[in-house]
Amino acid sequence: MADYDDMLIVRQLVDDVLLVLRWSAQPDATLGDDRGVETAVVPDEGLRSQFASAVEQLVANQGAEALRTLSGQNTEFPADAVIAALGSAGWDGAMRDFKLSVIELAGRGEVMGVVRGGGTIRRQIFRALLAALNAALASLSSIPGASAIQELKDFLEKVLEQEPDEQA
């Protein structure tokens, strides 16, 4: 059965997603391929500016709502409802542990290290993490704000699909 600790674990995951989105909108946020070629996450300046504005709107509104809810501070979606929703979505016990392990294997630690400390993320690792986060965010759709976070992350993935792959 889910509990308050599960809420905090999921809150940290959502916070990490928001940090990744904010980082991705920065002009110095770069992805590298196996040949050492680095490109901006969102290379087109106009699109990057729009994405940055969209991310800031998301962080201020839906992101803040999701974090508030996962902190037990949303009076319209109290902590006991959050705990029940997390339990129904498998964000407790062995299922939570497995989900978090897959997200770690997909590169969460490496990506968050760059997001917090600077540097370049390998394109393959970044794409793998975004794909793993897709499943996580989909299972959190009952949490206010989570669907909007997933949608913006999905749009970022669409931008990445327009860029040359490492194998190209």
Side-chain angles (χ1 to χ4, degrees):
M1 174 169 219
D3 59 21
Y4 189 75
D5 287 339
D6 295 314
M7 281 177 46
L8 296 180
I9 289 167
V10 173
R11 184 193 185 287
Q12 183 60 57
L13 178 66
V14 169
D15 192 45
D16 284 355
V17 174
L18 293 171
L19 285 171
V20 166
L21 290 173
R22 283 183 116 164
W23 174 84
S24 298
Q26 301 302 312
D28 60 346
T30 56
L31 301 176
D33 65 18
D34 288 337
R35 299 171 303 222
V37 176
E38 295 181 7
T39 57
V41 175
V42 182
D44 179 270
E45 286 184 43
L47 186 60
R48 184 174 51 243
S49 176
Q50 290 176 329
F51 179 62
S53 294
V55 168
E56 290 310 310
Q57 179 180 342
L58 175 82
V59 168
N61 297 309
Q62 295 89 350
E65 182 178 27
L67 295 175
R68 196 172 44 253
T69 300
L70 290 164
S71 297
Q73 300 172 350
N74 184 340
T75 57
E76 295 176 14
F77 202 108
D80 58 341
V82 175
I83 289 169
L86 293 178
S88 293
W91 279 100
D92 60 348
M95 287 182 67
R96 180 209 55 228
D97 293 346
F98 174 73
K99 291 174 185 184
L100 291 173
S101 291
V102 170
I103 292 168
E104 288 299 323
L105 284 171
R108 181 181 183 186
E110 181 178 334
V111 169
M112 295 314 299
V114 171
V115 166
R116 290 187 175 110
T120 298
I121 299 171
R122 288 190 352 215
R123 178 177 298 278
Q124 182 178 4
I125 296 291
F126 194 66
R127 288 176 123 178
L129 179 63
L130 292 179
L133 291 174
N134 195 46
L137 290 169
S139 70
L140 296 173
S141 63
S142 65
I143 303 299
S147 292
I149 296 167
Q150 180 183 3
E151 181 183 34
L152 199 57
K153 185 216 52 74
D154 288 348
F155 274 106
L156 177 59
E157 285 182 284
K158 296 299 179 197
V159 170
L160 293 175
E161 288 173 8
Q162 304 305 311
E163 289 300 302
D165 204 301
E166 285 188 3
Q167 285 77 32

